[in-house]
Amino acid sequence: AQSVTQLGSHVSVSEGALVLLRCNYSSSVPPYLFWYVQYPNQGLQLLLKYTSAATLVKGINGFEAEFKKSETSFHLTKPSAHMSDAAEYFCAVCAGNMLTFGGGTRLMVKP
Amino acid sequence: EADIYQTPRYLVIGTGKKITLECSQTMGHDKMYWYQQDPGMELHLIHYSYGVNSTEKGDLSSESTVSRIRTEHFPLTLESARPSHTSQYLCASSDHGGTNEKLFFGSGTQLSVL
């Protein structure tokens, strides 16, 4: 069985500031890890995914995430937040062909 | 562009009513899923299908049922809605599994049972 924990259901940053969204997971088998984003009134879309290649994964819109096995973490970062980044972000783990999602983190960007 | 549609977007209904949540995709995907999400909680898989006439229950027990008579259509039915069924229901589809999987999600149905 696997699980995903996203620390902080709401994160607020100023425009131009660093974005850090935290994700920790547990899995009995080597996992594949994903970050999904849900913009208001839209479906979830894939930001990036880790598939056991490079531990630093770059995604769309300037986001990246680093897989740290020793910490069982897959935190999402972006050097400089934009207003358009305001959305709900979901971390997910895929093991045995099924996805398990975290509870989501709402990112708010202040002008 | 993802083409997966869920209707209705919002549904408020009384206890005991029968409801069907619709989900359709035009991408020809074999795999379809229903997830349930309560606020601040993990998304939980309640049903999935790997093709026509194939349906399975997911990790979270649900009183709902599903059918897959056509590839593009995966409706979810509650025979008698109860307040405990109040939640958001997300439909998804994909054409591959494992590392190559890319899930496409609908916008969800927010169900409120009074």
Side-chain angles (χ1 to χ4, degrees), chain A residues 14-84:
Chain A
S14 298
E15 191 173 19
L18 171 72
V19 176
L20 170 62
L21 305 183
R22 300 179 185 273
C23 173
N24 289 89
Y25 70 91
S26 67
S27 175
S28 57
V29 298
Y32 303 110
L33 297 159
F34 303 79
W35 275 99
Y36 282 86
V37 59
Q38 185 178 28
Y39 295 104
N41 301 312
Q42 296 184 29
L44 285 169
Q45 59 179 272
L46 183 65
L47 259 184
L48 51 81
K49 63 181 179 182
Y50 165 75
T51 59
S52 74
T55 56
L56 183 62
V57 182
K58 294 187 184 298
I60 61 173
N61 301 337
F63 283 94
E64 61 183 36
E66 186 173 7
F67 172 68
K68 292 187 177 180
K69 184 179 179 180
S70 61
E71 299 177 8
T72 60
S73 69
F74 190 55
H75 302 329
L76 182 71
T77 60
K78 181 174 181 177
S80 176
H82 295 158
M83 295 298 292
S84 60

Side-chain angles (χ1 to χ4, degrees), chain A residues 2-5 9 32 34 36 38 41-46 49 51 88 90 94 96-104, chain B residues 9-10 31 33 35 37 39-43 45 48 50 59 88 90 96-107:
Chain A
Q2 64 251 25
S3 66
V4 182
T5 302
S9 58
Y32 303 110
F34 303 79
Y36 282 86
Q38 185 178 28
N41 301 312
Q42 296 184 29
L44 285 169
Q45 59 179 272
L46 183 65
K49 63 181 179 182
T51 59
E88 185 88 15
F90 290 91
C94 181
N97 223 33
M98 299 307 294
L99 272 175
T100 300
F101 282 83
Chain B
R9 183 75 176 91
Y10 300 95
K31 297 181 178 182
Y33 308 87
Y35 286 89
Q37 180 189 25
M41 306 293 286
E42 292 181 7
L43 277 168
L45 180 68
Y48 61 97
Y50 283 174
D59 300 329
Q88 184 185 40
L90 274 167
H96 294 99
T99 59
N100 294 321
E101 181 170 49
K102 178 173 168 55
L103 276 174
F104 295 87
F105 282 84
S107 297

Side-chain angles (χ1 to χ4, degrees), chain B residues 36-108:
Chain B
Q36 184 175 340
Q37 180 189 25
D38 294 321
M41 306 293 286
E42 292 181 7
L43 277 168
H44 289 289
L45 180 68
I46 52 174
H47 297 284
Y48 61 97
S49 168
Y50 283 174
V52 171
N53 294 325
S54 155
T55 61
E56 302 288 344
K57 290 189 180 295
D59 300 329
L60 181 68
S61 176
S62 174
E63 293 167 346
S64 58
T65 59
V66 293
S67 62
R68 191 86 183 277
I69 299 172
R70 304 197 315 266
T71 296
E72 62 270 22
H73 197 210
F74 192 41
L76 180 146
T77 299
L78 275 166
E79 290 293 333
S80 178
R82 295 206 302 269
S84 61
H85 296 139
T86 295
S87 189
Q88 184 185 40
Y89 293 83
L90 274 167
C91 181
S93 71
S94 72
D95 56 355
H96 294 99
T99 59
N100 294 321
E101 181 170 49
K102 178 173 168 55
L103 276 174
F104 295 87
F105 282 84
S107 297

